[in-house]
Amino acid sequence: MFDHIFKPKSIALIGASRSPGSLGHDVLENIKKLGFKGKIYPVNLKANQILGLTCYPSVLNIKGNVDLAIIMVPANFVANVLEECGKKKIKGVIIISAGFKETGEAGAAREEQVKAIIKKYKIDLIGPNCLGIINPHINLNASFADGMPEKGKVGLISQSGAMAVAIMDWAYQSKIGFSKIISIGNKAGLSEIDLMKYLAQDPETKVIMMYLESITDGQAFMKLSDKITNTKPIIVLKSGTSSAGVAAISSHTGSLAGSDRVIKTAFKQCGVIRAKTVEDLFDFAKAFSLAPLPRGNRVAIITNAGGPGIMATDALSDTHLVLAKFTNETNAYLHRHLPKSASVHNPVDIIGDALADRYQLALEAVLSDKNVDAVITILTPQTMTQEDETAYLASKLAKKSRKPIIAVFMGGEDVNSGRLILQKFGVPNFDYCERAVRSLDKMYFAKKIKTDIILAKYQGKNKKLNFSTRKCQIRTVEAEKILQEYDLPVLKSTLIPDKAHFKKINYWPVALKIASRDIIHKKAAGAVVVNNHTPFQAEKSFDLIVKNVKKSNPQGEIEGVLAQPMAKGKGMEVVVGMKRDVNFGPTIMFGLGGSFVEVFKDVSFRLAPLTKKDALKQMAEIKSFRVIEEYDIDLLAEIIVKISHLSLDYPQIRELDLNPIIIQKKGGHIIDVRMLI
Amino acid sequence: MFDHIFKPKSIALIGASRSPGSLGHDVLENIKKLGFKGKIYPVNLKANQILGLTCYPSVLNIKGNVDLAIIMVPANFVANVLEECGKKKIKGVIIISAGFKETGEAGAAREEQVKAIIKKYKIDLIGPNCLGIINPHINLNASFADGMPEKGKVGLISQSGAMAVAIMDWAYQSKIGFSKIISIGNKAGLSEIDLMKYLAQDPETKVIMMYLESITDGQAFMKLSDKITNTKPIIVLKSGTSSAGVAAISSHTGSLAGSDRVIKTAFKQCGVIRAKTVEDLFDFAKAFSLAPLPRGNRVAIITNAGGPGIMATDALSDTHLVLAKFTNETNAYLHRHLPKSASVHNPVDIIGDALADRYQLALEAVLSDKNVDAVITILTPQTMTQEDETAYLASKLAKKSRKPIIAVFMGGEDVNSGRLILQKFGVPNFDYCERAVRSLDKMYFAKKIKTDIILAKYQGKNKKLNFSTRKCQIRTVEAEKILQEYDLPVLKSTLIPDKAHFKKINYWPVALKIASRDIIHKKAAGAVVVNNHTPFQAEKSFDLIVKNVKKSNPQGEIEGVLAQPMAKGKGMEVVVGMKRDVNFGPTIMFGLGGSFVEVFKDVSFRLAPLTKKDALKQMAEIKSFRVIEEYDIDLLAEIIVKISHLSLDYPQIRELDLNPIIIQKKGGHIIDVRMLI
């Protein structure tokens, strides 16, 4: 796929330089000295030789075939040399040079030029403004980062060069190996999506690890991730989630669906594991790349000291994991073979004088227990403890077992050699119980989520709104028409432009509310009066509503009032809403209505489209679900699904609130709708 | 105070041994070889010399004065040698030997013997069943742990020997130094309270760090901590918080006030910083021992790469901290002096080619900004980065500044020398942004909490319940009497043993509920009927209630029904409750009533006693506070304070629920009360 970039047989370095410390020198040195076996062609107008290699004035002067060109010349020369790469039929190019989109208008123009050239010559491009790439498996470091990371199974895609360097540096200390390291820079050519596809089919990559600052095409990201995570875990650290988008007018849903919520929802829906910190990124990469996923959430803990066993148990309480309950056979066996003062119940305390053989006995017993899905084995360095022997035997058992064994060797120097053994033989090891538990929880979750949520399919119809859209809010009557297109159970309103029109109403009692695109929160503005039984009452309410609206918004539009039949029968108030995320598309919200929504923010989210099954799961996620469970859940699920389709069909609609929906034991009504464009 | 233990001039080692690997040998070797300058007397019946030191058959044979005896003989010999220590007038004793309370009945008896002897001779005892103690400042390692930790300002008290060893081992790697390390074992003599007092007055200890599995006297712990934390921070990792106590009958409050909640509440009320993990323990110890506390929560971030700046900003969103808004002068100054592509707004990105001088410029600017309370300075190792120089200058500025500077040097090997410099000159440094933010948050919180909550004083009156207390629940009528003692606004009930008694009621309408000590949740049992307007109605309700109760609890006690006047006027339902924690005493709960309490668990806690100001703060902590704010908050505060006193006065009452209390704009009523003993 992109093997000309990641497994090139020949590389041209355009802008290679003789001055140590310069980019053009350091990248060349990295490629030459760290063991790359292919051909290397430095390209430099003025030099004849650099680091003992013959230099060429242009790639066009190179006789042989060139798979990959690395461009390091100043930004304003890039277009020229890139054009030459095209002519030379070089299929892979990395532009390390900065000075493009990230620097303002002139740079952005240069980037457009680059895009045109790669399109013309069908070049696969990484960058510009990036660190380069590394493939430890062929000893290729085509970047200006120092050294060669260990060979391993983690494929890293980083949107920040600085973060890639820091991650490599940390990884070196914690002995995490890489299959590929890719700094994607400005993504003028290949995006994270393209490179995920590459890593997905790369046999050397077992886990995909990403640091991203933006996800350009959220829907494509989700579709692809959903597919990849069936076979390879994807772990993503997404930064910049705290800066909530600022919108001029914000609906109820708008204020609750922050960007952090959207990322959380999106990742969950497509099976991506979210790392909240760099530590998470490492921990999860280690756990996922070394151990099998647990089949369930029942954890056995083995420890040679009480305290850490308690701490591991404490840590379970914040997760989806539970303490396994051993079979009677296991308990009896442990009771027979462990010392009297040992604790044979989970967590199993094999006490301070435990040698490796006692660990073996306990590990074998709990691994073969059918009530155990995963094992955390804790070691504290005590006088007699056999750190290395215990590490060896844990490695041996881990190799044979289908259940994950996670080790926690606590302490520093004393246990380091044990840790190295675990590392070498592929047992994930953590310094602290909490991090072992957290990683195991993610592994369980990764397994579970793929069976829980299946990405729904729906092709948006790209409908256009067929009326004037000057104002931000769509007229209620127009919004109701759109809902009716989808057979949504809206209580239809009639516009009453003046009081004389009440005569035409043939349903009483009526609810009245203002007809105005300038009032978002009608109740708060005193613009709703329910239970008008007679035209006389209605006329008085009309005046009151108009008066209140004029007071709260003197310049506001007033078309009249809207009359609506009163909903019959008792019910609960719920809310369904939508906010369009700029990257991920429509985010659908569900929650309980009434005054408590605002207080408790008890809402749940899904990205569109949704199936009915998804909608039912989404509803079940709110804390107060048991309060509404007895109502017409089925109808609500249908409403959610239809709103997800409507949102995909009408890309102009930015936010939407159905608030309240009165849901009854059988049936229900959408009482009010707000649509913002 | 306990200087004879921690700064002894002479030590006797009872049970000293010649066999390497044995306890008696290793402890002696630690004391002799690691540089202790005082006199050392090995005591061993059989040997003449050990490690070149003259041996004594008993402490009584030692001519000179002995400050400290360390006992390492088997448990059944301990009483004898301890008695000899008493006769020799040795004031300080450490019993390392195990085989006491922790091993069952025989051991517990031995421990009682030990207690009797130390009482008789007024010996200050640490242990038994402990690791020993270490004072790096006089090179004394009186324990069987290897090596000598660095000298430093952290005083460690650990209830687990294994954890103490692991903590020391970790601390060595992260260069944290200690003033004292104390393994307290079974606490037969000195408890954590005594040792906290010692560390509080120890000039070498700046921060007290504790690992605790149990806190025996919670109230004493709180009182002492409240005092100490005015001058020295206390950081505690308390394990075993997930195992909620199982009670036979559990009230509403009982089920919500788990032990984790109690610890959280207690620590907050007395200014103790809670570490949830060992990593926290180190991070907080580092931050608190090195940097001054920030005066406010406004943080400036300086970084040489965009990504980490964003990640630090993201991390702020989970804390009490906010991004500082610079003055115009600061922005203008940075704009003038930083490169064009730098970001002069917070977070300040001084970009990848920043040398130490650019860090200096930015640091000085933000440190002198009056809108900044603390600075996080981030460094990623890039090609030109001056790690060491930047570390030096940050140290220099930190020394001059009253505002804390926290450094984040990201990566591994590349930045290690910079980290060592920061360490040496006392700038807290973290590998990851999130941990820097979390530690700074705790520092701010530590400062704030001491001004927010003042430990209330109230001496319980130790009242006895003056009626039969055979059953777990107190009769409603009796419980109401107790409430009346405190002038609590209870709507008093009248017992109606049979239907004929309704004639005596002269207030109508009445609410009726079952009178039975076997029904905890009356409403759920169908044992409440409100709004009975006539004796006829009431008689029908009487039958219904009795029928329902017999159905739900056929063996249950039925004394009759209770008649109660109906509360007049509209109001909100709230709940006040109490659960007695076995260590910390009465835990007072406040929350909103009605069906949503159970769903949202929107409740807040305080430990008794409370002042009215505390009660008002407690109420303001619930999410739905704004819903009840317009009601008689003042009366509620009084109720909370009185319940806190009542709970201290009546130690027999285990749990208590006032549920519901109907609170009105002015005034309110306690409708129902449950007291469990």
Side-chain angles (χ1 to χ4, degrees):
Chain A
M1 197 174 174
F2 304 130
D3 279 354
H4 38 284
I5 298 176
F6 296 102
K7 295 174 183 172
K9 296 208 168 59
S10 49
I11 305 177
L13 284 111
I14 305 170
S17 154
R18 269 182 297 212
S19 327
S22 76
L23 200 63
H25 176 273
D26 290 358
V27 177
L28 177 60
E29 197 179 30
N30 273 343
I31 295 181
K32 183 160 185 286
K33 295 213 171 150
L34 294 171
F36 174 63
K37 296 268 185 287
K39 283 182 186 138
I40 308 172
Y41 305 108
V43 176
N44 180 313
L45 267 177
K46 294 167 198 158
N48 292 324
Q49 263 208 344
I50 305 178
L51 295 172
L53 294 166
T54 308
C55 230
Y56 299 82
S58 154
V59 288
L60 296 172
N61 299 98
I62 299 170
K63 294 260 163 63
N65 197 38
V66 175
D67 286 338
L68 172 65
I70 302 172
I71 297 178
M72 301 167 291
V73 298
N76 46 336
F77 299 121
V78 166
N80 264 344
V81 299
L82 185 60
E83 187 83 37
E84 289 177 355
C85 290
K87 285 181 186 149
K88 176 73 185 161
K89 303 214 164 81
I90 301 176
K91 282 185 67 187
V93 173
I94 299 170
I95 304 178
I96 294 182
S97 320
F100 292 86
K101 198 173 63 184
E102 79 281 6
T103 57
E105 262 179 56
R110 278 194 288 271
E111 193 155 323
E112 286 309 312
Q113 241 182 320
V114 164
K115 281 186 182 171
I117 298 168
I118 60 168
K119 198 173 163 193
K120 181 167 146 200
Y121 292 104
K122 292 189 181 138
I123 292 170
D124 293 324
L125 173 76
I126 290 184
N129 183 30
C130 75
L131 179 79
I133 63 111
I134 301 176
N135 180 354
H137 289 267
I138 59 163
N139 292 320
L140 171 62
N141 178 349
S143 84
F144 57 90
D146 284 344
M148 179 60 67
E150 306 231 347
K151 289 181 184 61
K153 299 167 182 173
V154 177
L156 170 67
I157 297 173
S158 176
Q159 201 173 338
S160 151
M163 280 302 294
V165 173
I167 289 174
M168 278 163 60
D169 209 5
W170 275 310
Y172 184 77
Q173 281 199 327
S174 42
K175 307 277 167 214
I176 290 178
F178 292 96
S179 60
K180 309 282 177 294
I181 294 174
I182 312 167
S183 161
I184 54 177
N186 292 6
K187 319 187 207 173
L190 300 181
S191 69
E192 69 272 20
I193 301 280
D194 303 310
L195 293 160
M196 283 164 75
K197 280 181 194 158
Y198 178 72
L199 293 181
Q201 57 78 55
D202 175 30
E204 282 148 2
T205 301
K206 204 185 148 189
V207 176
I208 300 173
M209 184 201 249
M210 303 170 86
Y211 169 80
L212 295 175
E213 291 175 356
S214 65
I215 296 174
T216 320
D217 186 343
Q219 293 275 343
F221 175 87
M222 285 178 70
K223 266 178 210 145
L224 179 61
S225 298
D226 181 54
K227 221 182 275 172
I228 295 176
T229 51
N230 287 322
T231 50
K232 289 185 190 183
I234 302 176
I235 302 162
V236 180
L237 175 56
K238 167 78 177 67
S239 71
T241 52
S242 59
S243 53
V246 180
I249 297 182
S250 196
S251 67
H252 196 78
T253 311
S255 65
L256 290 169
S259 61
D260 191 68
R261 211 66 193 260
V262 173
I263 288 291
K264 191 176 160 189
T265 307
F267 283 12
K268 191 171 137 189
Q269 260 172 277
C270 63
V272 166
I273 304 298
R274 185 181 185 188
K276 298 256 311 184
T277 65
V278 180
E279 283 181 287
D280 276 358
L281 207 56
F282 286 124
D283 286 352
F284 301 164
K286 203 196 285 182
F288 278 91
S289 66
L290 296 179
L293 298 185
R295 285 170 175 234
N297 65 343
R298 301 164 303 172
V299 182
I301 299 171
I302 294 172
T303 177
N304 70 342
I310 302 171
M311 285 165 62
T313 308
D314 286 350
L316 289 181
S317 69
D318 295 332
T319 70
H320 305 87
L321 305 174
V322 298
L323 217 51
K325 206 172 149 22
F326 299 147
T327 60
N328 292 338
E329 293 74 48
T330 304
N331 280 333
Y333 179 84
L334 291 173
H335 189 71
R336 255 195 328 273
H337 291 95
L338 291 179
K340 223 177 136 187
S341 52
S343 163
V344 302
H345 295 280
N346 203 4
V348 182
D349 185 353
I350 58 175
I351 65 176
D353 60 352
L355 303 180
D357 61 344
R358 204 183 291 158
Y359 270 100
Q360 176 159 12
L361 185 140
L363 270 168
E364 285 177 343
V366 303
L367 278 170
S368 64
D369 189 313
K370 68 174 168 30
N371 294 343
V372 171
D373 299 308
V375 181
I376 294 177
T377 182
I378 302 170
L379 177 145
T380 61
Q382 303 198 36
T383 319
M384 303 174 65
T385 310
Q386 298 174 315
E387 290 86 1
D388 295 3
E389 291 84 344
T390 308
Y392 276 120
L393 96 88
S395 306
K396 222 175 64 188
L397 291 176
K399 209 175 168 184
K400 282 194 295 186
S401 175
R402 282 184 168 191
K403 298 176 182 177
I405 300 178
I406 314 279
V408 180
F409 276 32
M410 302 184 96
E413 295 283 313
D414 282 359
V415 296
N416 269 345
S417 69
R419 281 186 188 137
L420 288 178
I421 293 164
L422 292 167
Q423 194 70 39
K424 192 174 157 195
F425 291 100
V427 178
N429 169 66
F430 297 92
D431 294 11
Y432 301 98
C433 296
E434 300 79 18
R435 283 166 68 177
V437 167
R438 199 167 146 65
S439 299
L440 189 57
D441 182 41
K442 285 289 171 182
M443 293 173 79
Y444 166 68
F445 194 63
K447 179 97 180 173
K448 187 173 175 299
I449 206 84
K450 292 307 291 185
T451 57
D452 262 19
I453 295 178
I454 294 155
L455 214 59
K457 280 179 192 133
Y458 181 80
Q459 189 64 48
K461 296 190 172 65
N462 210 6
K463 296 188 186 181
K464 289 233 166 62
L465 298 174
N466 55 359
F467 47 81
S468 146
T469 54
R470 225 174 1 96
K471 292 247 178 185
C472 273
Q473 191 176 183
I474 297 176
R475 286 196 175 87
T476 306
V477 179
E478 310 275 14
E480 287 176 355
K481 271 185 205 150
I482 296 175
L483 297 182
Q484 282 180 312
E485 273 177 44
Y486 292 82
D487 284 326
L488 284 157
V490 60
L491 270 188
K492 222 180 149 266
S493 314
T494 310
L495 178 65
I496 311 287
D498 57 63
K499 286 186 272 183
H501 278 70
F502 277 119
K503 281 176 282 183
K504 292 184 190 163
I505 300 285
N506 54 8
Y507 48 85
W508 295 93
V510 297
L512 297 178
K513 59 191 175 193
I514 192 69
S516 163
R517 289 174 297 179
D518 291 320
I519 306 296
I520 303 278
H521 297 293
K522 298 190 186 90
K523 244 188 189 161
V528 181
V529 180
V530 296
N531 271 326
N532 299 280
H533 283 87
T534 61
F536 175 72
Q537 249 186 319
E539 282 177 29
K540 265 175 63 180
S541 300
F542 186 105
D543 289 338
L544 180 70
I545 288 172
V546 170
K547 195 180 116 200
N548 284 343
V549 167
K550 277 191 174 151
K551 208 162 113 192
S552 77
N553 191 346
Q555 263 73 55
E557 172 190 70
I558 297 183
E559 300 172 58
V561 303
L562 295 166
Q564 202 180 26
M566 292 295 299
K568 282 179 194 86
K570 265 191 156 182
M572 280 289 290
E573 286 192 9
V574 298
V575 178
V576 171
M578 182 278 295
K579 184 187 178 188
R580 192 173 302 276
D581 182 79
V582 64
N583 301 123
F584 286 91
T587 316
I588 310 296
M589 184 185 88
F590 171 76
L592 205 65
S595 59
F596 285 102
V597 201
E598 300 266 351
V599 171
F600 293 116
K601 297 183 173 54
D602 185 28
V603 289
S604 59
F605 292 89
R606 283 290 188 284
L607 283 154
L610 290 178
T611 63
K612 203 162 158 188
K613 208 173 133 194
D614 294 335
L616 287 165
K617 280 198 175 137
Q618 178 182 3
M619 284 190 276
E621 273 177 21
I622 70 169
K623 284 186 199 153
S624 51
F625 182 63
R626 56 172 155 144
V627 178
I628 60 155
E629 218 171 351
E630 52 185 305
Y631 295 93
D632 195 340
I633 292 301
D634 217 60
L635 175 62
L636 284 178
E638 271 167 33
I639 293 175
I640 291 173
V641 171
K642 283 175 177 173
I643 289 298
S644 87
H645 293 172
L646 181 156
S647 308
L648 289 168
D649 291 344
Y650 284 102
Q652 281 170 285
I653 301 173
R654 193 162 48 83
E655 294 184 16
L656 176 161
D657 266 354
L658 308 184
N659 184 20
I661 299 171
I662 303 268
I663 191 71
Q664 304 173 330
K665 304 265 164 183
K666 185 82 197 123
H669 306 281
I670 297 165
I671 304 297
D672 201 10
V673 52
R674 270 188 294 280
M675 286 188 191
L676 308 182
I677 50 176
Chain B
M1 197 175 176
F2 304 130
D3 280 355
H4 38 283
I5 298 176
F6 296 102
K7 296 174 184 174
K9 296 207 169 58
S10 48
I11 304 176
L13 284 109
I14 305 168
S17 154
R18 269 183 296 212
S19 326
S22 75
L23 201 62
H25 177 273
D26 291 358
V27 177
L28 178 61
E29 197 179 30
N30 272 342
I31 295 179
K32 182 159 187 285
K33 296 213 169 148
L34 294 170
F36 174 64
K37 296 269 186 287
K39 283 184 188 135
I40 308 172
Y41 306 108
V43 176
N44 181 315
L45 268 177
K46 296 165 199 159
N48 293 323
Q49 262 208 345
I50 305 178
L51 293 173
L53 295 166
T54 308
C55 230
Y56 299 81
S58 155
V59 288
L60 296 171
N61 300 98
I62 299 170
K63 296 257 163 62
N65 198 38
V66 175
D67 287 339
L68 172 65
I70 301 172
I71 297 179
M72 301 166 292
V73 298
N76 45 335
F77 299 121
V78 166
N80 265 343
V81 299
L82 185 59
E83 188 82 37
E84 291 177 355
C85 290
K87 286 181 185 149
K88 175 73 186 161
K89 302 213 164 86
I90 301 176
K91 282 185 66 188
V93 173
I94 300 171
I95 304 178
I96 294 183
S97 321
F100 292 87
K101 198 174 63 184
E102 78 283 6
T103 57
E105 262 179 54
R110 279 194 287 272
E111 192 155 323
E112 287 309 311
Q113 241 184 317
V114 163
K115 280 185 182 172
I117 299 169
I118 60 169
K119 198 173 165 194
K120 178 167 149 201
Y121 293 104
K122 291 190 182 140
I123 291 171
D124 294 322
L125 172 76
I126 289 183
N129 184 28
C130 74
L131 180 79
I133 62 114
I134 302 176
N135 179 355
H137 289 267
I138 60 163
N139 293 320
L140 171 62
N141 178 349
S143 84
F144 57 90
D146 285 343
M148 181 59 68
E150 306 230 347
K151 289 181 183 63
K153 301 166 180 173
V154 178
L156 169 68
I157 297 173
S158 176
Q159 200 173 338
S160 150
M163 281 300 295
V165 173
I167 289 173
M168 278 163 61
D169 208 5
W170 276 311
Y172 184 78
Q173 281 200 327
S174 43
K175 307 276 166 213
I176 291 178
F178 292 96
S179 60
K180 308 282 176 294
I181 294 174
I182 312 165
S183 162
I184 54 178
N186 292 6
K187 320 188 207 172
L190 301 180
S191 69
E192 68 274 19
I193 302 279
D194 303 310
L195 293 160
M196 283 165 74
K197 280 183 194 155
Y198 177 72
L199 293 180
Q201 57 80 52
D202 175 30
E204 281 149 3
T205 300
K206 207 185 145 189
V207 175
I208 299 174
M209 187 202 247
M210 302 171 85
Y211 170 81
L212 295 175
E213 291 174 357
S214 66
I215 296 174
T216 321
D217 186 343
Q219 292 275 342
F221 175 87
M222 285 179 71
K223 267 180 209 143
L224 178 61
S225 298
D226 181 54
K227 221 183 274 170
I228 295 177
T229 51
N230 287 321
T231 51
K232 288 185 190 182
I234 301 176
I235 302 163
V236 180
L237 176 57
K238 167 78 178 66
S239 70
T241 53
S242 58
S243 53
V246 180
I249 297 183
S250 195
S251 68
H252 196 79
T253 311
S255 65
L256 290 169
S259 62
D260 191 69
R261 211 65 192 261
V262 173
I263 287 290
K264 192 177 159 187
T265 306
F267 283 12
K268 191 171 135 187
Q269 259 173 277
C270 64
V272 166
I273 304 298
R274 183 182 187 190
K276 298 256 311 184
T277 65
V278 180
E279 284 183 286
D280 276 359
L281 206 57
F282 286 124
D283 286 352
F284 302 165
K286 201 196 285 181
F288 279 90
S289 65
L290 296 179
L293 298 185
R295 288 173 171 230
N297 65 343
R298 301 164 303 171
V299 182
I301 298 170
I302 294 172
T303 176
N304 70 342
I310 302 172
M311 284 164 63
T313 309
D314 286 349
L316 289 180
S317 68
D318 295 332
T319 68
H320 304 87
L321 306 173
V322 297
L323 216 51
K325 206 173 148 20
F326 298 148
T327 60
N328 292 337
E329 292 75 47
T330 304
N331 280 334
Y333 179 85
L334 291 173
H335 189 71
R336 255 195 329 272
H337 291 95
L338 290 179
K340 225 175 135 186
S341 51
S343 164
V344 302
H345 295 281
N346 203 3
V348 182
D349 185 353
I350 58 175
I351 66 177
D353 60 352
L355 303 180
D357 61 344
R358 204 183 291 160
Y359 271 99
Q360 176 157 14
L361 186 140
L363 271 168
E364 286 177 343
V366 302
L367 279 171
S368 64
D369 189 313
K370 66 175 169 32
N371 294 342
V372 171
D373 298 309
V375 181
I376 293 177
T377 182
I378 301 169
L379 177 145
T380 61
Q382 304 197 35
T383 319
M384 303 173 66
T385 309
Q386 298 175 316
E387 289 86 2
D388 294 3
E389 292 84 343
T390 307
Y392 275 121
L393 96 88
S395 307
K396 222 174 65 187
L397 292 175
K399 208 174 168 185
K400 282 195 295 187
S401 175
R402 285 183 166 190
K403 299 176 182 176
I405 299 179
I406 313 277
V408 179
F409 276 32
M410 302 183 95
E413 294 283 312
D414 282 359
V415 296
N416 269 343
S417 70
R419 281 185 188 138
L420 289 178
I421 293 163
L422 292 167
Q423 195 68 41
K424 191 173 158 195
F425 291 100
V427 177
N429 169 67
F430 297 91
D431 294 10
Y432 301 98
C433 296
E434 300 79 20
R435 284 166 68 178
V437 167
R438 198 166 147 66
S439 299
L440 190 57
D441 182 42
K442 285 288 171 182
M443 293 171 80
Y444 165 68
F445 194 64
K447 179 97 181 174
K448 188 173 176 298
I449 207 85
K450 292 307 290 184
T451 58
D452 261 20
I453 295 178
I454 294 157
L455 215 59
K457 280 179 191 132
Y458 181 81
Q459 191 65 47
K461 295 189 173 64
N462 210 6
K463 297 187 186 181
K464 287 232 168 60
L465 298 175
N466 54 0
F467 47 81
S468 146
T469 53
R470 225 176 359 97
K471 291 249 179 184
C472 273
Q473 192 176 182
I474 297 177
R475 286 198 176 85
T476 306
V477 179
E478 310 275 14
E480 287 176 356
K481 271 187 205 148
I482 297 175
L483 296 182
Q484 282 180 313
E485 272 178 43
Y486 293 81
D487 283 327
L488 283 158
V490 61
L491 270 189
K492 223 178 148 269
S493 314
T494 311
L495 179 66
I496 311 288
D498 57 63
K499 286 186 272 184
H501 278 70
F502 278 119
K503 281 176 279 182
K504 293 184 188 161
I505 299 287
N506 55 7
Y507 49 86
W508 295 94
V510 297
L512 298 177
K513 59 192 176 192
I514 192 70
S516 164
R517 289 174 296 178
D518 292 319
I519 306 295
I520 303 278
H521 298 292
K522 300 189 185 92
K523 244 189 188 159
V528 180
V529 179
V530 296
N531 271 325
N532 299 279
H533 284 87
T534 61
F536 176 71
Q537 251 185 318
E539 282 177 30
K540 266 174 62 180
S541 300
F542 186 105
D543 290 337
L544 180 68
I545 287 172
V546 171
K547 194 180 117 201
N548 286 341
V549 167
K550 278 193 174 149
K551 208 163 111 191
S552 78
N553 192 345
Q555 263 74 54
E557 170 191 73
I558 297 182
E559 299 172 58
V561 304
L562 295 164
Q564 200 180 29
M566 292 295 298
K568 283 182 194 82
K570 264 190 157 183
M572 278 291 289
E573 286 192 9
V574 298
V575 178
V576 171
M578 182 278 293
K579 185 187 177 189
R580 192 173 304 275
D581 182 80
V582 63
N583 301 123
F584 286 91
T587 315
I588 311 296
M589 185 186 87
F590 171 76
L592 205 65
S595 60
F596 285 102
V597 201
E598 299 266 353
V599 172
F600 293 115
K601 298 182 173 53
D602 186 29
V603 291
S604 60
F605 291 90
R606 283 288 189 284
L607 284 152
L610 290 178
T611 63
K612 202 162 159 187
K613 209 173 131 195
D614 295 334
L616 287 166
K617 279 197 177 139
Q618 178 183 2
M619 284 191 277
E621 272 177 21
I622 69 167
K623 283 188 201 149
S624 51
F625 181 62
R626 55 172 154 143
V627 179
I628 60 156
E629 217 171 353
E630 52 186 303
Y631 295 93
D632 196 339
I633 293 300
D634 218 58
L635 174 62
L636 284 178
E638 272 166 33
I639 294 176
I640 291 173
V641 171
K642 283 174 176 172
I643 289 298
S644 87
H645 292 173
L646 181 157
S647 309
L648 289 168
D649 291 344
Y650 283 101
Q652 280 171 284
I653 301 174
R654 192 163 47 82
E655 294 184 17
L656 176 161
D657 267 353
L658 307 183
N659 183 21
I661 300 171
I662 304 268
I663 192 71
Q664 303 172 330
K665 305 264 165 187
K666 186 84 199 119
H669 307 282
I670 297 166
I671 304 297
D672 200 11
V673 52
R674 268 188 295 280
M675 287 186 190
L676 308 182
I677 48 176

